[in-house]
Every structure is written in structure tokens, then in C-alpha cells.
Amino acid sequence: MAEETLKVPTMAELTAAGESPEILFWVGCAGSFDDRAKKITRAFVSILNKLDVKFAVLGTEESCTGDPAKRAGNEFLFQVQAMTNIQVLNGYNIKKIVTTCPHCFNTLKNEYPELGGNYDVIHHTQFLQELINQGKLKFKGGAFKGKKITFHDPCYLGRGNNEYEAPRELLEKLDADLAEMKHCRAKGLCCGAGGAQMFKEAEKGNKEVNIERTEEALEVNPDIIATGCPFCNTMMTDGVKNFNKEGSVKVFDLAELVMEAQDV
Amino acid sequence: MGISNILFIVLLAGAAFLFYRNFGKIVRNIKLGKDLDRSDQSDVRWKTMARVALGQSKMVTRPIAGILHILVYIGFVIINIEILEIVLDGVLGTHRVFAGFLGDFYVTFINLFEILALLVLLACAVFLIRRNIVKIERFWKPEMKGWPASDANYILFIEILLMSAFLIMNAADTVLMNIPYEDISATSLAHYGETGLVNPSFVVSDFLIGWLPNDPNTLAFIERACWWFHIVGIFAFLNYLVISKHLHILLAFPNTYFSNLYPKGRFDNLASVKKEVEMMFDPSIDPYATPPADENPAPVTFGAKDVSDLTWKQLMDAYTCTECGRCTSVCPANLTGKLLSPRKIMMDTRDRITEVGNNLDKNGPDFKDEKLLVHDYISAEELWACTTCNACTDACPVNIDPLSIIVDLRRYLVMEQSAAPAELNGMFTNIENNGAPWQFSMADRLNWKDEN
């Protein structure tokens, strides 16, 4: 992927210039710090830049939504994080938030309102879908022609918030063969990272969850495993490596695939 | 009124009273849970109940078990109409009281009941085979040893026996009802000829007639024996419900009505914590001020350590669980050999609330045993294996939510016992200190902008 300079305005900069963005891009901790997830962040911003979407990030004013603390049972830490973030977001009068992380998406959308944070929150796959519907986002024909792609449903996008279509509609635009796994959509199997499992060793068992899920993905012989969550991405990438398939099977976020296929 | 009518009325009243009393205890136990408002959106709630409980919409995701279950369910609901007639006959001392009103339709109805009875019987036989011969994995998990396995088999056996009694009763009765009336009009069998049915025959039980003896008095004995066995069996079964997983036939309805209507990804924000955090964020509040006198001084537990810290809905979930194990069979932790089984979470919760209720009855309201739901029933190892993926709540045919109990128990471990796994404590510290679950500086949050 070509090196490019990204335009990433912060809310502080826009506010100083007396402007306000259409959307706030909530990057999330993985998207900010994880080397693999940063590529997803950059891909998404690259799409936004090419389409001249007026967005901003919080930059150093962004802090963890509190999702992993909440799922792990530390409600206190979660609510402190939430209240802190809500003060910042309300201070900037944020109305619409898009995020590349289903965990941030779920927390901001469902758990912040009761604490005083009311925003229109969407996942980046939904936002990209909106851009297609508005006729802004267009695709070069056949970018992924002949490639077999399987989609791994992130739990907090799918079962958690009933969004199964947006990612699949995006994949259809790529001209790829969409192959569904044995367990998909509402029956999709977790990658193993949720509920704060990402940050700890698994309990004693006979297998890792990501290996089980990767097996299901490899059963359909995909060229690409697509997902819409930085944590799923890590788990599936590790799973593919475990089967020594990293040469033939790639794990990509939908933002990365869309960036590749985008017609500019 | 004969002696048999009196006996019947006594049995009916006794069964009804016993059920009322024991079911009342379950309702009382459920009310030991904490308040939760699920009184909103009644239109959506009725629709959810109609779709999920009445319409069995989540059962058919597994077609074989789903369709067989629907047969048993329809059979159960419709055959209850016949039970109404049996109860009326028992009380009034009549024989087939509806026959006189319904005429030819009566035979059609009984034919329908017989077909359903046969289907129920066959479905129960297949269920027994699936459990005990095919040994479907979800019925053989560790939590299914002992009583839960016997309970399931007892239910299926009882249903087979009840349906058989109904069919044999009809077969014997058919022969008796077809004896020319003048042959029995002067005997104790006269009422068999007084139903108003002309040469009745029924579609399933006719095939059983060949196995029955010919002597009218023996046939009458078989008919009465089956009649009593069937109805007393139903009285007994009603009272078996309250100690059995089979209670789901009643609680599935309120339990789906009171379903969680929020997106599954949303976890509740603990109100007790919210108060504390709001105080932290509000500079005008004096944290050292004496609380107003009317405030409830009872100490709050953050999260749940025992069943009384759970909500009434979580306790209703526990009593509604019929241990089908669909949750456990889709749980990523269980699939990969971890100790966690969402079904066991529900069974433990029910066992514990039953124990707490029994203590209450035996030892009064002030009695406390030394046990807790967490640790004594559900181990920390089980709780920490959950990925909060919601596969269990999606799979449950009656909208039970094991995940909310897991999270409430985790909250207790973390906030009251500081007993999170060490790595998670590290993650908490990172979020506290630098706003991310990893050890990166907040100042570096935007570095990705210039990295390729």
C-alpha cells in the first residue's frame, strides 16, 4: 500500500478554527496503539480523505471507552472512563460518532446515553455503506474478482447490535465470492477476545477459541478472512499463523479491502 | 353423588392446593430478587411472548429437536381440552359429557386428540433415544449427572405413560360403547351406551382393540383403570413441575414477556456505582457530609455474591431453564474445553435460590447459612472463561440471560473482593493511568497518523 500523508484534524484544531466536523472518528485504543490495528485506522482515514469527508479525531483527548473494564466487572472504572469521555464529547458538542471498533461502538451507543452521553454512533462498515448509498463511495470493477472472502462477524457488531448486513453488502461491492462459515451471523462463533479475554491468558481447556474459529474459517478455503474488529483481526491472524497459512490466507478489515477497491 | 366422585373431587382439590402452595413458594423465591423495571413496551413484550413462547420461534433453529418439541407442545396444549372433559366427568359422574353436545364433531375431536397423543408418544420416544442411546453431547455434560438426567427421563416416561393410558382407555371404551344397549341397559355398564354416540370408533385406538380381552367387565375395569391413571397422573405431574426442569411449560410465557429488549451488547450501568462516580465528578458535593436521615443506610454490595443480589428476572430465568443445553453447546469457552457452562450457571442459580427459600421456610427470615452463589456454587474459573459473546442468550429458546449473571458475579469478584486475575488488574491500572488497556502513553495516541 502506497505511503501517503494523511490529513487527520483534531477536535481541538477544528474548534480553534471555529469549525465543526460532520463526524467524530473514534479511533479506539487498539486503533491508536496496536501495530496491526493502526493500519486499519490509516486505511479508514485514507478513504475519508479521498472522499473529503469532514471529520475529526479527539487525538490525545481520547481515552478508553471503558469497555474491557466493564466486561471484566470493574463497573467503577468503566463509569469513570465513561464520564470523563462524555465530558470531552459534550464539551465539543459531538453529535455523530463513527468507530472502527465494535466494542467502542457498542459501549458508546448503548451504555453512554444513561450516563449523559447521547450521540448517533455508527460502526465504520455502516458508515461506508451510507457513503455508497449517497453515491460518494465508488468501486473500481473487479478489484477482488475471483477471490474467495469469508466474513467473521464480530460479536458486538452482530449479536450485540444486530448488524449483519452492512459488512456483507460492502463485500458484495468488491466483486468477490462471499463464502459463509458453518457458523455465521447470529450463530457466529466468537474469536475469543471479547469480555476482556484479550488481556489475559485463557482458562484451562483443550483448545484456544481463536483456533476453533480459524478452523471454521479455513474450512471454506478462503483467500481472505474479512472482519470489522481490531481484536477479531488479531485473533484470526494469530489463528492463521498457527496453521502456517499466513502465506495463502490474509486477514483484513473491511476498511482495508474498501480502500484497495475504492475508485478515486 | 357416588364414592368415586367424592374421591375425585378430593384428589382434584388436593392436587390444586398442593400446586398452589408450592408454586407460591417459587413465586416468593423469585421475589427475593432485586427490583428491575420491565413494565415498559407492553406491545413489544406481548409480541415477543407470542413469537418465542407460543410460536416456538427459537426452537426450530435446530429442526429435528424443534419440530418434535412443537409436536409435544401442540399435543400438550390441545389435549388439555380433553382433560377438561375428564375433570367434568370426574366431578359430575358423567361419561364423556361433551359427546352429547358435540355429536359427530366429538368423534372428530377425539380423533384429533388421538393423533396428537400418538405423535407425542413417538416424539417422546425419539427424545429418549436421543438422550440415552444416541447420547447427544449436550445431554451428557458434567452438570447433567444424577438428578438432572433422571428428571429429563422421568418427564418423557410419564408423558409416554399418560398418552398410552389415554389411548388404551379409548380402545376399551370403543368396544363398550359398541355393545348393543339392550345387552347392558340393566347392568352397571349401562352408561357406556348412553353417550349418544352411534357406533363410535377412533382412528388410533382402534388398532389396540385386538390386544384387549373380550369380557365387558374386564374391559370396563381397564377403561376405568386407564381413566384414573391418566387423570391422577396429570395431577401428580402438575405437582412434579415445581421440583422439575419441566416448570418451563409455565414460566416460558412470563419469562419471554419480561425479556431484555435492549440490544444484547448493552450491559446495565450499575446504579450504585453511578451514584459514587457522579459524586466524584460533581465538585459541589461534599463527600464528608452526613447522608440525609431518610437515606437507606443498608450497605450496598457492588455486583452479586448471592442470589438475593440478583434481580427477580435473573431468578425467574433460573426457574425457567429446562436444561436443554443449547447455550452450553454454542459457548466458545465450553466448546474449547473450559469449565464454564452457561446452563450450569442457571442450574446453580436455581439450586441456590431453592436452598435459600427452603432455609427461609425452615429457619425463619433471619437465618443465614455460610454459603454464597459465587465460590460455593459457581467458581471464579468458570466466570473468567466467559467472552461475553452472547451466543448463549441468542441460543436460549426462552430468552434466558446467563451472561448477565456471569457479569454480576464478576463485578462482585472485582469490586468487592479485588479478586480479578492479575493480568486484568494490570489492564485496569493501564486504563486508570494512561487511558488504554496497554501501557502506552496518552500523548502517543495520534502517532499512527505519521506511521506507515
Side-chain angles (χ1 to χ4, degrees):
Chain A
M1 292 176 193
E3 305 223 344
E4 59 177 309
T5 313
L6 299 174
K7 294 190 299 271
V8 190
T10 63
M11 278 309 300
E13 290 160 9
L14 281 198
T15 309
E19 293 174 51
S20 61
E22 246 174 77
I23 54 156
L24 175 82
F25 171 31
W26 185 277
V27 183
C29 299
S32 301
F33 294 122
D34 179 86
D35 283 335
R36 177 68 189 85
K38 281 193 273 191
K39 293 198 168 76
I40 302 170
T41 308
R42 290 182 57 84
F44 183 60
V45 168
S46 154
I47 299 168
L48 298 180
N49 279 173
K50 280 179 196 133
L51 297 176
D52 271 328
V53 175
K54 199 164 177 199
F55 76 100
V57 298
L58 285 175
T60 54
E61 289 184 279
E62 189 186 283
S63 187
C64 174
T65 58
D67 162 81
K70 189 177 181 81
R71 313 296 140 190
N74 196 336
E75 182 70 8
F76 199 85
L77 179 55
F78 161 72
Q79 290 200 16
V80 170
Q81 287 300 115
M83 298 285 234
T84 312
N85 285 321
I86 288 167
Q87 282 189 342
V88 174
L89 291 165
N90 289 356
Y92 283 124
N93 200 19
I94 299 297
K95 297 273 178 279
K96 187 168 180 179
I97 301 176
V98 61
T99 176
T100 43
C101 173
H103 295 264
C104 298
F105 162 69
N106 174 68
T107 306
L108 293 166
K109 176 172 171 284
N110 295 320
E111 291 160 357
Y112 275 34
E114 208 178 77
L115 303 172
N118 291 284
Y119 321 103
D120 178 10
V121 188
I122 58 171
H123 186 245
H124 70 305
T125 56
Q126 298 170 319
F127 185 68
L128 293 171
Q129 191 57 45
E130 277 180 23
L131 292 173
I132 293 173
N133 293 346
Q134 291 163 4
K136 289 181 187 156
L137 177 58
K138 292 193 182 71
F139 295 92
K140 339 180 244 224
F144 289 88
K145 203 160 188 75
K147 297 265 188 221
K148 196 189 254 186
I149 304 185
T150 189
F151 181 67
H152 165 78
D153 288 279
C155 299
Y156 278 86
L157 183 65
R159 269 190 301 273
N161 288 287
N162 288 315
E163 181 57 83
Y164 304 105
E165 296 311 323
R168 287 180 172 77
E169 281 171 29
L170 285 176
L171 286 172
E172 273 171 31
K173 295 278 192 274
L174 302 178
D175 272 346
D177 298 332
L178 178 58
E180 294 287 6
M181 286 181 243
K182 184 167 70 183
H183 296 110
C184 62
R185 296 176 183 261
K187 307 293 164 211
L189 180 69
C190 177
C191 72
Q197 299 295 340
M198 183 75 188
F199 307 101
K200 60 184 265 297
E201 287 300 316
E203 273 53 44
K204 202 165 81 49
N206 52 32
K207 205 179 202 178
E208 294 291 337
V209 176
N210 69 321
I211 301 301
E212 175 81 14
R213 185 53 166 168
T214 307
E215 272 176 4
E216 291 192 356
L218 294 179
E219 270 170 29
V220 303
N221 278 317
D223 298 299
I224 293 169
I225 299 171
T227 185
C229 171
F231 297 104
C232 297
N233 195 307
T234 302
M235 298 310 262
M236 299 305 283
T237 304
D238 287 352
V240 170
K241 278 185 195 149
N242 182 74
F243 291 101
N244 297 315
K245 292 270 188 182
E246 65 265 39
S248 56
V249 182
K250 302 287 178 199
V251 182
F252 282 120
D253 190 273
L254 278 164
E256 296 173 298
L257 300 177
V258 168
M259 183 181 77
E260 274 290 292
Q262 187 182 4
D263 184 18
V264 277
Chain B
M1 187 168 278
I3 184 89
S4 63
N5 304 115
I6 294 166
L7 180 63
F8 181 84
I9 291 167
V10 168
L11 282 173
L12 174 65
F17 171 75
L18 208 59
F19 178 75
Y20 173 80
R21 202 191 65 172
N22 290 332
F23 189 69
K25 274 185 193 170
I26 288 174
V27 173
R28 190 265 326 260
N29 290 353
I30 289 172
K31 285 181 175 165
L32 294 176
K34 291 201 298 192
D35 287 345
L36 174 74
D37 187 8
R38 290 267 164 100
S39 62
D40 60 327
Q41 304 179 68
S42 61
D43 52 333
V44 183
R45 296 190 175 282
W46 283 113
K47 278 180 203 157
T48 308
M49 188 181 92
R51 195 178 64 246
V52 179
L54 199 66
Q56 312 248 312
S57 59
K58 291 174 89 177
M59 283 303 294
V60 287
T61 52
R62 299 195 184 179
I64 299 174
I67 290 166
L68 289 171
H69 184 269
I70 287 176
L71 285 180
V72 176
Y73 164 75
I74 295 176
F76 170 79
V77 171
I78 296 184
I79 293 170
N80 272 327
I81 303 171
E82 170 62 6
I83 291 169
L84 183 67
E85 181 185 43
I86 294 176
V87 169
L88 284 175
D89 281 344
V91 174
L92 304 171
T94 46
H95 186 64
R96 297 194 181 265
V97 66
F98 289 169
F101 300 111
L102 295 170
D104 288 347
F105 284 118
Y106 183 81
V107 176
T108 315
F109 275 119
I110 296 293
N111 281 340
L112 176 67
F113 298 152
E114 287 204 345
I115 291 166
L116 286 169
L118 180 67
L119 290 172
V120 169
L121 207 153
L122 292 175
C124 288
V126 177
F127 280 147
L128 277 173
I129 292 167
R130 281 163 57 89
R131 275 182 188 266
N132 299 294
I133 296 171
V134 183
K135 297 198 176 189
I136 288 178
E137 207 190 338
R138 64 188 156 105
F139 301 129
W140 288 85
K141 294 277 176 182
E143 68 268 23
M144 294 308 286
K145 294 218 167 74
W147 166 249
S150 322
D151 185 17
N153 287 329
Y154 293 158
I155 294 162
L156 294 168
F157 271 126
I158 295 170
E159 296 210 24
I160 288 175
L161 290 177
L162 291 176
M163 293 303 123
S164 306
F166 175 66
L167 292 172
I168 296 168
M169 171 185 87
N170 281 352
D173 204 359
T174 304
V175 181
L176 292 165
M177 288 190 290
N178 280 291
I179 297 174
Y181 185 60
E182 53 274 23
D183 294 355
I184 53 172
S185 57
T187 71
S188 63
L189 305 178
H191 58 277
Y192 287 107
E194 292 162 359
T195 57
L197 298 173
V198 184
N199 299 329
S201 85
F202 304 122
V203 64
V204 178
S205 57
D206 267 9
F207 291 96
L208 301 175
I209 290 172
W211 281 297
L212 295 177
N214 297 319
D215 171 52
N217 286 313
T218 314
L219 282 170
F221 177 79
I222 292 171
E223 193 273 337
R224 280 295 90 189
C226 287
W227 189 91
W228 280 99
F229 178 83
H230 184 226
I231 194 64
V232 172
I234 285 167
F235 291 163
F237 201 39
L238 179 71
N239 279 290
Y240 180 73
L241 290 186
V242 291
I243 58 158
S244 162
K245 77 189 193 86
H246 208 49
L247 191 59
H248 80 292
I249 63 171
L250 300 179
L251 288 185
F253 294 89
N255 204 62
T256 48
Y257 180 87
F258 292 117
S259 294
N260 171 29
L261 297 180
Y262 289 110
K264 285 189 159 67
R266 177 193 180 274
F267 290 10
D268 66 327
N269 294 318
L270 267 191
S272 49
V273 171
K274 194 177 165 204
K275 225 163 73 185
E276 306 265 330
V277 175
E278 271 167 355
M279 221 152 30
M280 277 173 56
F281 277 73
D282 186 349
S284 68
I285 290 178
D286 174 8
Y288 302 108
T290 330
D294 60 316
E295 220 165 86
N296 185 1
V300 278
T301 309
F302 295 124
K305 62 180 182 303
D306 206 352
V307 284
S308 51
D309 301 317
L310 298 173
T311 68
W312 61 265
K313 177 58 172 59
Q314 289 169 319
L315 300 180
M316 185 191 275
D317 276 354
Y319 278 115
T320 306
C321 176
T322 196
E323 301 165 10
C324 70
R326 290 181 182 216
C327 53
T328 295
S329 73
V330 295
C331 172
N334 195 278
L335 279 171
T336 54
K338 277 85 173 176
L339 214 50
L340 173 64
S341 163
R343 169 173 56 190
K344 179 178 174 291
I345 301 286
M346 302 320 300
M347 294 167 71
D348 286 343
T349 303
R350 185 187 49 211
D351 290 351
R352 176 60 185 157
I353 184 65
T354 306
E355 182 178 54
V356 168
N358 290 345
N359 279 336
L360 204 62
D361 291 331
K362 252 185 256 157
N363 306 308
D366 296 325
F367 177 83
K368 291 260 180 294
D369 60 6
E370 295 301 305
K371 285 198 235 168
L372 292 176
L373 179 63
V374 70
H375 302 312
D376 293 318
Y377 282 79
I378 300 171
S379 67
E381 182 179 342
E382 291 165 69
L383 296 173
W384 290 118
C386 174
T387 69
T388 72
C389 76
N390 263 308
C392 55
T393 61
D394 174 78
C396 181
V398 288
N399 288 356
I400 291 170
D401 182 358
L403 175 52
S404 69
I405 298 180
I406 294 172
V407 172
D408 280 339
L409 295 177
R410 277 186 178 184
R411 284 168 169 171
Y412 173 76
L413 290 181
V414 171
M415 290 190 285
E416 295 279 352
Q417 297 206 306
S418 304
E423 304 123 296
L424 290 188
N425 280 328
M427 180 264 283
F428 296 151
T429 309
N430 287 331
I431 294 179
E432 267 167 34
N433 293 342
N434 39 279
W438 301 285
Q439 248 183 335
F440 290 105
S441 163
M442 202 132 166
D444 295 334
R445 264 211 179 243
L446 206 45
N447 289 2
W448 55 267
K449 180 165 86 104
D450 305 309
E451 292 171 10
N452 267 306

